[in-house]
Amino acid sequence: MKQNWNKESLLAAYPRFEAQPDFYLGRMADAEKGFADTFGKEAERFFSAPGRTEIGGNHTDHQHGCVLAAAVDLDIFGAAAKNDSRIIRIFSEGYGMEEISLDDLEVKKEEINTTASLIRGVASKITQMGYTLGGLDMYTVSNVLKGSGISSSAAYEVLVGTVINALYCENKLTPVEIAQIGQYAENVYFGKMSGLMDQTASSVGGVVAIDFRDNANPVVRKLDFDFTKAGYALCIIDSGADHADLSDEYSAIPMEMRQVAAHFGKKVLREVALADFLTDMAAVREKAGDRATLRAYHFLKDNQRAIDEAAALEAGDFDKFLSLVKESGYSSFMYLQNVYVSGSVQHQEVAYTLAACEAALAGKGAYRVHGGGFAGTIQAFVPQEMLAGFVEQMEKAVGKGRCHVLSIRPAGGTELMKV
């Protein structure tokens, strides 16, 4: 190991560190230098929060459903220190400075869909929980591309929550609590009605099966599974379409699903049985419309698929797992309808990328729309012996540098220690 970083904390955050030490040490050194240049002092502590990949359960979390997700080794790294003011100052490389006063934590309409809203929302929620916060400075570098489907917003929320937890809360907040704080910031301050999956996967780390039946107390189970040992690589392919300005499309999905739930006198679809839905499907259609009905059908089937996928991994039945992944992908395209924006003819990048992926895999592995959908990325499980050719073919189809081979990251939001 080079420099004076703790080996255990490095490998938990960066499982490929030993293969690429110069890359990781270089960006960490860049953050330290950036901090010193920006704030005129030395950074004192160092933190990382990962992006996430949704493996199973597409748009199930906001209906209190089940998901299968994992933290990946793309992250936001932050060099940080307390300051003597009541100001949180965060400089993000490539984006600039955000400053938030701890004396003004009200929701700001002008901050909707901005990074400032996430900082303010996280600080507000932690303050509401009874903690006394002070100022901090942080300089961040990120390879979690904004709008990439790896959930840069959740990683950012988890990073801010993890830093505040360490500096001002004596690390008393649990990873799940930090996730819930991040979701609050995104829902109330940022203006996006996301579920809790993204933040939980980022905050907890590893491969996790999550049951959100009780959203205030989600059941999180870590799975001991290594895709590499199963002979497969996890790839995320960027379609080239930015989904950063599609909040209305995303918000329509939970809204329509709740309309169907209301038909049965329920708040969310998790409380509705598939058999009851099928019995009353025509009445649901008449009341809520075709698209809402199809989206509800997707939820009721995909929620069970997420449970079955976790069971297949735990049983070591990878063929069953791959079959379920493909089923989920078909359901998202046909019923959830989050592969392209309705009415868009010229821009269907995700659908195009799915077609290219099908051709490249030639019946092997599995692939599906990834995350929120509409734009962004797809996910593929690629046999190791096909990986080089797959990457080459996909990058020929969608663009150089858009096929990312990822590793599952053991650590969630974490502090990286020096020795």
Side-chain angles (χ1 to χ4, degrees):
M1 287 290 172
K2 299 179 181 180
Q3 295 191 10
N4 56 341
W5 292 95
N6 175 272
K7 179 177 179 179
E8 184 178 353
S9 67
L10 273 181
L11 290 177
Y14 307 122
R16 292 186 283 187
F17 176 83
E18 291 181 313
Q20 307 173 58
D22 292 340
F23 167 75
Y24 291 108
L25 292 173
R27 68 194 290 265
M28 293 157 78
D30 288 345
E32 283 195 78
K33 183 179 185 303
F35 183 95
D37 291 346
T38 302
F39 299 108
K41 59 185 180 182
E42 297 299 315
E44 297 173 356
R45 298 171 77 170
F46 305 89
F47 300 87
S48 168
R52 68 93 184 99
T53 182
E54 169 204 283
I55 298 171
N58 195 210
H59 279 278
T60 55
D61 57 334
H62 51 67
Q63 297 301 295
H64 293 202
C66 297
V67 301
L68 185 63
V72 298
D73 60 344
L74 301 178
D75 77 322
I76 307 176
F77 175 81
K82 289 184 177 181
N83 65 41
D84 296 327
S85 72
R86 294 274 300 161
I87 304 293
I88 294 177
R89 301 187 297 176
I90 302 179
F91 188 98
S92 299
E93 189 173 77
Y95 295 96
M97 181 74 78
E98 299 287 355
E99 295 190 8
I100 299 300
S101 171
L102 292 168
D103 296 321
D104 182 12
L105 296 179
E106 297 299 316
V107 176
K108 309 288 183 185
K109 289 185 178 180
E110 65 272 19
E111 287 183 352
I112 288 174
N113 291 324
T114 69
T115 302
S117 71
L118 298 178
I119 304 169
R120 199 181 303 274
V122 169
S124 174
K125 186 62 175 178
I126 295 176
T127 300
Q128 292 171 38
M129 295 170 72
Y131 294 96
T132 300
L133 309 190
L136 67 89
D137 299 321
M138 182 160 61
Y139 188 99
T140 73
V141 296
S142 175
N143 56 8
V144 185
L145 301 176
K146 190 174 182 181
S148 67
I150 310 296
S151 199
S152 58
S153 60
Y156 193 87
E157 294 150 17
V158 168
L159 179 68
V160 174
T162 301
V163 172
I164 292 175
N165 189 31
L167 297 185
Y168 289 106
C169 306
E170 299 179 337
N171 286 315
K172 291 181 179 178
L173 296 171
T174 68
V176 171
E177 286 176 324
I178 290 173
Q180 292 168 326
I181 290 163
Q183 184 199 25
Y184 172 85
E186 190 153 326
N187 290 175
V188 177
Y189 283 72
F190 188 81
K192 180 179 176 182
M193 295 308 295
S194 68
L196 190 55
M197 178 192 70
D198 294 353
Q199 293 85 356
T200 304
S202 177
S203 189
V204 173
V207 180
V208 286
I210 314 167
D211 186 337
F212 292 113
R213 183 183 293 276
D214 179 358
N215 217 36
N217 299 286
V219 177
V220 181
R221 189 172 84 256
K222 276 203 170 189
L223 305 180
D224 183 16
F225 192 86
D226 187 339
F227 292 106
T228 303
K229 290 181 180 177
Y232 283 79
L234 168 63
C235 293
I236 298 295
I237 302 98
D238 183 356
S239 70
D242 185 0
H243 69 187
D245 297 320
L246 292 170
S247 291
D248 288 346
E249 295 287 346
Y250 300 132
S251 296
I253 294 176
M255 180 184 71
E256 292 178 12
M257 288 184 177
R258 288 191 178 103
Q259 287 175 350
V260 175
H263 173 81
F264 295 93
K266 307 297 184 181
K267 291 184 178 180
V268 291
L269 283 174
R270 180 63 182 272
E271 300 171 346
V272 178
L274 175 61
D276 292 340
F277 170 83
L278 294 175
T279 297
D280 218 21
M281 196 169 176
V284 171
R285 179 191 188 194
E286 183 176 350
K287 183 174 182 179
D290 287 353
R291 190 173 73 170
T293 303
L294 292 170
R295 284 176 163 173
Y297 180 69
H298 163 82
F299 168 85
L300 292 166
K301 298 287 283 186
D302 218 45
N303 187 61
Q304 184 60 48
R305 269 190 289 265
I307 296 170
D308 294 342
E309 285 173 0
L313 290 183
E314 289 182 309
D317 189 348
F318 204 72
D319 288 340
K320 176 65 173 177
F321 168 78
L322 292 174
S323 176
L324 290 165
V325 169
K326 287 186 278 191
E327 285 181 19
S328 177
Y330 295 149
S331 181
S332 291
F333 204 148
M334 291 188 293
Y335 306 129
L336 184 60
Q337 298 179 39
N338 67 332
V339 167
Y340 55 84
V341 177
S342 297
S344 179
V345 176
Q346 294 299 320
H347 294 285
Q348 297 189 7
E349 293 92 342
V350 175
Y352 168 83
T353 306
L354 287 168
C357 192
E358 179 182 55
L361 283 172
K364 306 290 186 180
Y367 62 97
R368 63 193 283 272
V369 63
H370 181 247
F374 299 110
T377 60
I378 69 168
Q379 176 189 75
F381 293 94
V382 183
Q384 288 283 353
E385 65 272 15
M386 296 178 65
L387 183 59
F390 176 84
V391 172
E392 181 181 2
Q393 191 167 336
M394 290 305 300
E395 296 199 338
K396 183 178 179 181
V398 300
K400 193 71 174 174
R402 287 185 173 166
C403 183
H404 305 282
V405 182
L406 304 182
S407 289
I408 302 301
R409 161 174 159 151
T414 190
E415 181 171 2
L416 297 177
M417 310 299 293
K418 287 193 172 186
V419 293

